[in-house]
Amino acid sequence: MAQAIGKRVGMALAARISLDHGPISEPLDIIKFLCKDFWNEVFGKSVDNLRTNHRGTFVLRDVHFAWLSGLHPPQTTRSDGGAPETAPGPTRAELARPYLWLPCAVLAGALSALGLEVASVTADASGLPQIDFTINLLLAAAAGAGSSSVQA
């Protein structure tokens, strides 16, 4: 459900944000647009780092992903009145996983609206508050061989 909503939202946002730009046809130029203009409108800042293997895989790093800034593991209070301690249980990265489905879907929808066929968008939250979003595009030769999916 969040994936379908996110994809529709991403498509609508990309259409609105790209109105002021001329047509963008090269995949790298589309990713650069996503990292600067789109990211700034949606997440309040530009991507901190972009890496690519030049074969359809892009890693976008946001060192302080604002959507997860308030995510903290449960705390337990100490009986001696000392500072609270982290309760045993899931890590922050595990807690973040369901909250990353929506931004992954928004990115997939935006890329789709901008003309790219997306194989997957995944997010790695192991270094919170840093998030690495990995985008895998369907290459022209493989465009009919796979289906789109969004994962977190």
Side-chain angles (χ1 to χ4, degrees), residues 99-127:
Y99 295 100
L100 291 169
W101 294 337
L102 183 64
C104 285
V106 167
L107 295 175
L111 291 167
S112 177
L114 294 169
L116 294 180
E117 293 190 57
V118 179
S120 65
V121 177
T122 58
D124 176 13
S126 61

PDB file of all heavy atoms in Angstrom, residues 99-127:
ATOM      1  N   TYR A  99       9.945   2.416   7.607  1.00  0.00           N
ATOM      2  CA  TYR A  99       9.803   3.839   7.297  1.00  0.00           C
ATOM      3  C   TYR A  99      10.516   4.212   6.004  1.00  0.00           C
ATOM      4  O   TYR A  99      10.373   5.329   5.521  1.00  0.00           O
ATOM      5  CB  TYR A  99      10.333   4.690   8.454  1.00  0.00           C
ATOM      6  CG  TYR A  99       9.532   4.520   9.715  1.00  0.00           C
ATOM      7  CD1 TYR A  99       9.974   3.686  10.731  1.00  0.00           C
ATOM      8  CD2 TYR A  99       8.312   5.171   9.873  1.00  0.00           C
ATOM      9  CE1 TYR A  99       9.231   3.505  11.879  1.00  0.00           C
ATOM     10  CE2 TYR A  99       7.560   5.002  11.017  1.00  0.00           C
ATOM     11  CZ  TYR A  99       8.026   4.165  12.015  1.00  0.00           C
ATOM     12  OH  TYR A  99       7.283   3.992  13.150  1.00  0.00           O
ATOM     13  N   LEU A 100      11.286   3.318   5.455  1.00  0.00           N
ATOM     14  CA  LEU A 100      12.012   3.585   4.212  1.00  0.00           C
ATOM     15  C   LEU A 100      11.260   3.101   2.975  1.00  0.00           C
ATOM     16  O   LEU A 100      11.644   3.417   1.859  1.00  0.00           O
ATOM     17  CB  LEU A 100      13.411   2.959   4.272  1.00  0.00           C
ATOM     18  CG  LEU A 100      14.336   3.644   5.275  1.00  0.00           C
ATOM     19  CD1 LEU A 100      15.606   2.823   5.475  1.00  0.00           C
ATOM     20  CD2 LEU A 100      14.668   5.052   4.821  1.00  0.00           C
ATOM     21  N   TRP A 101      10.205   2.330   3.159  1.00  0.00           N
ATOM     22  CA  TRP A 101       9.415   1.870   2.009  1.00  0.00           C
ATOM     23  C   TRP A 101       8.854   3.053   1.235  1.00  0.00           C
ATOM     24  O   TRP A 101       8.884   3.074   0.008  1.00  0.00           O
ATOM     25  CB  TRP A 101       8.278   0.956   2.440  1.00  0.00           C
ATOM     26  CG  TRP A 101       8.713  -0.354   3.018  1.00  0.00           C
ATOM     27  CD1 TRP A 101       9.915  -0.984   2.806  1.00  0.00           C
ATOM     28  CD2 TRP A 101       7.983  -1.188   3.897  1.00  0.00           C
ATOM     29  NE1 TRP A 101       9.961  -2.155   3.510  1.00  0.00           N
ATOM     30  CE2 TRP A 101       8.785  -2.316   4.184  1.00  0.00           C
ATOM     31  CE3 TRP A 101       6.733  -1.097   4.483  1.00  0.00           C
ATOM     32  CZ2 TRP A 101       8.370  -3.344   5.018  1.00  0.00           C
ATOM     33  CZ3 TRP A 101       6.311  -2.121   5.313  1.00  0.00           C
ATOM     34  CH2 TRP A 101       7.125  -3.225   5.573  1.00  0.00           C
ATOM     35  N   LEU A 102       8.323   4.036   1.950  1.00  0.00           N
ATOM     36  CA  LEU A 102       7.719   5.187   1.276  1.00  0.00           C
ATOM     37  C   LEU A 102       8.745   6.009   0.493  1.00  0.00           C
ATOM     38  O   LEU A 102       8.534   6.262  -0.692  1.00  0.00           O
ATOM     39  CB  LEU A 102       6.955   6.067   2.266  1.00  0.00           C
ATOM     40  CG  LEU A 102       6.230   7.262   1.649  1.00  0.00           C
ATOM     41  CD1 LEU A 102       5.129   6.795   0.695  1.00  0.00           C
ATOM     42  CD2 LEU A 102       5.642   8.148   2.730  1.00  0.00           C
ATOM     43  N   PRO A 103       9.884   6.440   1.080  1.00  0.00           N
ATOM     44  CA  PRO A 103      10.825   7.203   0.264  1.00  0.00           C
ATOM     45  C   PRO A 103      11.387   6.402  -0.914  1.00  0.00           C
ATOM     46  O   PRO A 103      11.617   6.962  -1.986  1.00  0.00           O
ATOM     47  CB  PRO A 103      11.919   7.637   1.235  1.00  0.00           C
ATOM     48  CG  PRO A 103      11.690   6.900   2.487  1.00  0.00           C
ATOM     49  CD  PRO A 103      10.294   6.408   2.486  1.00  0.00           C
ATOM     50  N   CYS A 104      11.574   5.093  -0.742  1.00  0.00           N
ATOM     51  CA  CYS A 104      12.033   4.273  -1.874  1.00  0.00           C
ATOM     52  C   CYS A 104      10.999   4.285  -2.995  1.00  0.00           C
ATOM     53  O   CYS A 104      11.342   4.406  -4.171  1.00  0.00           O
ATOM     54  CB  CYS A 104      12.306   2.835  -1.428  1.00  0.00           C
ATOM     55  SG  CYS A 104      13.820   2.626  -0.481  1.00  0.00           S
ATOM     56  N   ALA A 105       9.738   4.184  -2.631  1.00  0.00           N
ATOM     57  CA  ALA A 105       8.666   4.199  -3.627  1.00  0.00           C
ATOM     58  C   ALA A 105       8.542   5.570  -4.282  1.00  0.00           C
ATOM     59  O   ALA A 105       8.298   5.672  -5.490  1.00  0.00           O
ATOM     60  CB  ALA A 105       7.343   3.795  -2.982  1.00  0.00           C
ATOM     61  N   VAL A 106       8.712   6.640  -3.507  1.00  0.00           N
ATOM     62  CA  VAL A 106       8.665   7.993  -4.070  1.00  0.00           C
ATOM     63  C   VAL A 106       9.771   8.152  -5.123  1.00  0.00           C
ATOM     64  O   VAL A 106       9.535   8.677  -6.209  1.00  0.00           O
ATOM     65  CB  VAL A 106       8.791   9.064  -2.957  1.00  0.00           C
ATOM     66  CG1 VAL A 106       9.053  10.448  -3.539  1.00  0.00           C
ATOM     67  CG2 VAL A 106       7.530   9.086  -2.098  1.00  0.00           C
ATOM     68  N   LEU A 107      10.972   7.674  -4.803  1.00  0.00           N
ATOM     69  CA  LEU A 107      12.077   7.761  -5.758  1.00  0.00           C
ATOM     70  C   LEU A 107      11.794   6.941  -7.010  1.00  0.00           C
ATOM     71  O   LEU A 107      12.040   7.394  -8.130  1.00  0.00           O
ATOM     72  CB  LEU A 107      13.380   7.306  -5.106  1.00  0.00           C
ATOM     73  CG  LEU A 107      13.887   8.177  -3.957  1.00  0.00           C
ATOM     74  CD1 LEU A 107      15.116   7.548  -3.319  1.00  0.00           C
ATOM     75  CD2 LEU A 107      14.170   9.582  -4.432  1.00  0.00           C
ATOM     76  N   ALA A 108      11.260   5.734  -6.846  1.00  0.00           N
ATOM     77  CA  ALA A 108      10.937   4.889  -8.000  1.00  0.00           C
ATOM     78  C   ALA A 108       9.882   5.559  -8.879  1.00  0.00           C
ATOM     79  O   ALA A 108       9.993   5.555 -10.113  1.00  0.00           O
ATOM     80  CB  ALA A 108      10.454   3.521  -7.534  1.00  0.00           C
ATOM     81  N   GLY A 109       8.875   6.160  -8.264  1.00  0.00           N
ATOM     82  CA  GLY A 109       7.845   6.857  -9.026  1.00  0.00           C
ATOM     83  C   GLY A 109       8.390   8.062  -9.769  1.00  0.00           C
ATOM     84  O   GLY A 109       8.048   8.302 -10.927  1.00  0.00           O
ATOM     85  N   ALA A 110       9.258   8.817  -9.110  1.00  0.00           N
ATOM     86  CA  ALA A 110       9.857   9.988  -9.749  1.00  0.00           C
ATOM     87  C   ALA A 110      10.695   9.577 -10.958  1.00  0.00           C
ATOM     88  O   ALA A 110      10.587  10.181 -12.029  1.00  0.00           O
ATOM     89  CB  ALA A 110      10.714  10.756  -8.743  1.00  0.00           C
ATOM     90  N   LEU A 111      11.489   8.547 -10.793  1.00  0.00           N
ATOM     91  CA  LEU A 111      12.326   8.086 -11.907  1.00  0.00           C
ATOM     92  C   LEU A 111      11.476   7.574 -13.054  1.00  0.00           C
ATOM     93  O   LEU A 111      11.783   7.813 -14.223  1.00  0.00           O
ATOM     94  CB  LEU A 111      13.298   7.011 -11.417  1.00  0.00           C
ATOM     95  CG  LEU A 111      14.384   7.533 -10.480  1.00  0.00           C
ATOM     96  CD1 LEU A 111      15.100   6.378  -9.801  1.00  0.00           C
ATOM     97  CD2 LEU A 111      15.358   8.412 -11.232  1.00  0.00           C
ATOM     98  N   SER A 112      10.409   6.898 -12.732  1.00  0.00           N
ATOM     99  CA  SER A 112       9.492   6.408 -13.762  1.00  0.00           C
ATOM    100  C   SER A 112       8.875   7.578 -14.533  1.00  0.00           C
ATOM    101  O   SER A 112       8.806   7.557 -15.756  1.00  0.00           O
ATOM    102  CB  SER A 112       8.411   5.549 -13.113  1.00  0.00           C
ATOM    103  OG  SER A 112       7.476   5.124 -14.061  1.00  0.00           O
ATOM    104  N   ALA A 113       8.445   8.611 -13.803  1.00  0.00           N
ATOM    105  CA  ALA A 113       7.847   9.783 -14.444  1.00  0.00           C
ATOM    106  C   ALA A 113       8.850  10.524 -15.320  1.00  0.00           C
ATOM    107  O   ALA A 113       8.472  11.151 -16.297  1.00  0.00           O
ATOM    108  CB  ALA A 113       7.284  10.729 -13.382  1.00  0.00           C
ATOM    109  N   LEU A 114      10.129  10.419 -14.969  1.00  0.00           N
ATOM    110  CA  LEU A 114      11.174  11.098 -15.734  1.00  0.00           C
ATOM    111  C   LEU A 114      11.702  10.244 -16.877  1.00  0.00           C
ATOM    112  O   LEU A 114      12.624  10.636 -17.577  1.00  0.00           O
ATOM    113  CB  LEU A 114      12.312  11.512 -14.799  1.00  0.00           C
ATOM    114  CG  LEU A 114      11.925  12.570 -13.758  1.00  0.00           C
ATOM    115  CD1 LEU A 114      13.016  12.715 -12.715  1.00  0.00           C
ATOM    116  CD2 LEU A 114      11.617  13.906 -14.420  1.00  0.00           C
ATOM    117  N   GLY A 115      11.120   9.052 -17.054  1.00  0.00           N
ATOM    118  CA  GLY A 115      11.446   8.245 -18.222  1.00  0.00           C
ATOM    119  C   GLY A 115      12.414   7.099 -18.014  1.00  0.00           C
ATOM    120  O   GLY A 115      12.849   6.492 -18.990  1.00  0.00           O
ATOM    121  N   LEU A 116      12.756   6.786 -16.785  1.00  0.00           N
ATOM    122  CA  LEU A 116      13.662   5.667 -16.536  1.00  0.00           C
ATOM    123  C   LEU A 116      12.893   4.444 -16.061  1.00  0.00           C
ATOM    124  O   LEU A 116      11.948   4.563 -15.292  1.00  0.00           O
ATOM    125  CB  LEU A 116      14.708   6.043 -15.480  1.00  0.00           C
ATOM    126  CG  LEU A 116      15.695   7.134 -15.868  1.00  0.00           C
ATOM    127  CD1 LEU A 116      16.664   7.394 -14.735  1.00  0.00           C
ATOM    128  CD2 LEU A 116      16.449   6.763 -17.131  1.00  0.00           C
ATOM    129  N   GLU A 117      13.308   3.270 -16.518  1.00  0.00           N
ATOM    130  CA  GLU A 117      12.711   2.024 -16.046  1.00  0.00           C
ATOM    131  C   GLU A 117      13.531   1.543 -14.864  1.00  0.00           C
ATOM    132  O   GLU A 117      14.720   1.266 -14.989  1.00  0.00           O
ATOM    133  CB  GLU A 117      12.689   0.987 -17.159  1.00  0.00           C
ATOM    134  CG  GLU A 117      11.753   1.366 -18.296  1.00  0.00           C
ATOM    135  CD  GLU A 117      11.565   0.221 -19.259  1.00  0.00           C
ATOM    136  OE1 GLU A 117      11.133  -0.862 -18.816  1.00  0.00           O
ATOM    137  OE2 GLU A 117      11.876   0.411 -20.432  1.00  0.00           O
ATOM    138  N   VAL A 118      12.880   1.438 -13.725  1.00  0.00           N
ATOM    139  CA  VAL A 118      13.550   1.113 -12.476  1.00  0.00           C
ATOM    140  C   VAL A 118      13.374  -0.365 -12.157  1.00  0.00           C
ATOM    141  O   VAL A 118      12.254  -0.870 -12.120  1.00  0.00           O
ATOM    142  CB  VAL A 118      12.990   1.972 -11.325  1.00  0.00           C
ATOM    143  CG1 VAL A 118      13.663   1.629 -10.006  1.00  0.00           C
ATOM    144  CG2 VAL A 118      13.150   3.449 -11.642  1.00  0.00           C
ATOM    145  N   ALA A 119      14.493  -1.059 -11.916  1.00  0.00           N
ATOM    146  CA  ALA A 119      14.427  -2.450 -11.478  1.00  0.00           C
ATOM    147  C   ALA A 119      14.170  -2.498  -9.973  1.00  0.00           C
ATOM    148  O   ALA A 119      13.337  -3.266  -9.506  1.00  0.00           O
ATOM    149  CB  ALA A 119      15.722  -3.185 -11.814  1.00  0.00           C
ATOM    150  N   SER A 120      14.880  -1.653  -9.213  1.00  0.00           N
ATOM    151  CA  SER A 120      14.679  -1.621  -7.762  1.00  0.00           C
ATOM    152  C   SER A 120      15.249  -0.340  -7.175  1.00  0.00           C
ATOM    153  O   SER A 120      16.153   0.272  -7.739  1.00  0.00           O
ATOM    154  CB  SER A 120      15.341  -2.829  -7.087  1.00  0.00           C
ATOM    155  OG  SER A 120      16.745  -2.769  -7.232  1.00  0.00           O
ATOM    156  N   VAL A 121      14.677   0.046  -6.045  1.00  0.00           N
ATOM    157  CA  VAL A 121      15.222   1.113  -5.209  1.00  0.00           C
ATOM    158  C   VAL A 121      15.261   0.532  -3.802  1.00  0.00           C
ATOM    159  O   VAL A 121      14.236   0.114  -3.271  1.00  0.00           O
ATOM    160  CB  VAL A 121      14.353   2.391  -5.223  1.00  0.00           C
ATOM    161  CG1 VAL A 121      14.927   3.440  -4.276  1.00  0.00           C
ATOM    162  CG2 VAL A 121      14.227   2.958  -6.624  1.00  0.00           C
ATOM    163  N   THR A 122      16.447   0.464  -3.228  1.00  0.00           N
ATOM    164  CA  THR A 122      16.596  -0.070  -1.879  1.00  0.00           C
ATOM    165  C   THR A 122      17.264   0.978  -1.003  1.00  0.00           C
ATOM    166  O   THR A 122      17.894   1.913  -1.504  1.00  0.00           O
ATOM    167  CB  THR A 122      17.443  -1.362  -1.872  1.00  0.00           C
ATOM    168  OG1 THR A 122      18.720  -1.084  -2.430  1.00  0.00           O
ATOM    169  CG2 THR A 122      16.757  -2.461  -2.670  1.00  0.00           C
ATOM    170  N   ALA A 123      17.130   0.814   0.304  1.00  0.00           N
ATOM    171  CA  ALA A 123      17.732   1.744   1.250  1.00  0.00           C
ATOM    172  C   ALA A 123      18.499   0.966   2.307  1.00  0.00           C
ATOM    173  O   ALA A 123      18.018  -0.052   2.810  1.00  0.00           O
ATOM    174  CB  ALA A 123      16.660   2.605   1.900  1.00  0.00           C
ATOM    175  N   ASP A 124      19.676   1.461   2.633  1.00  0.00           N
ATOM    176  CA  ASP A 124      20.508   0.878   3.679  1.00  0.00           C
ATOM    177  C   ASP A 124      20.574   1.867   4.829  1.00  0.00           C
ATOM    178  O   ASP A 124      21.115   2.966   4.680  1.00  0.00           O
ATOM    179  CB  ASP A 124      21.901   0.576   3.131  1.00  0.00           C
ATOM    180  CG  ASP A 124      22.856   0.058   4.190  1.00  0.00           C
ATOM    181  OD1 ASP A 124      22.404  -0.303   5.305  1.00  0.00           O
ATOM    182  OD2 ASP A 124      24.068   0.007   3.913  1.00  0.00           O
ATOM    183  N   ALA A 125      20.028   1.475   5.971  1.00  0.00           N
ATOM    184  CA  ALA A 125      19.981   2.352   7.137  1.00  0.00           C
ATOM    185  C   ALA A 125      20.974   1.928   8.207  1.00  0.00           C
ATOM    186  O   ALA A 125      20.859   2.353   9.357  1.00  0.00           O
ATOM    187  CB  ALA A 125      18.563   2.358   7.710  1.00  0.00           C
ATOM    188  N   SER A 126      21.949   1.111   7.867  1.00  0.00           N
ATOM    189  CA  SER A 126      22.872   0.595   8.879  1.00  0.00           C
ATOM    190  C   SER A 126      23.742   1.675   9.513  1.00  0.00           C
ATOM    191  O   SER A 126      24.287   1.475  10.594  1.00  0.00           O
ATOM    192  CB  SER A 126      23.751  -0.514   8.290  1.00  0.00           C
ATOM    193  OG  SER A 126      24.513  -0.017   7.220  1.00  0.00           O
ATOM    194  N   GLY A 127      23.855   2.835   8.870  1.00  0.00           N
ATOM    195  CA  GLY A 127      24.673   3.917   9.413  1.00  0.00           C
ATOM    196  C   GLY A 127      23.863   5.119   9.843  1.00  0.00           C
ATOM    197  O   GLY A 127      24.338   6.239   9.711  1.00  0.00           O
TER     198      GLY A 127
END
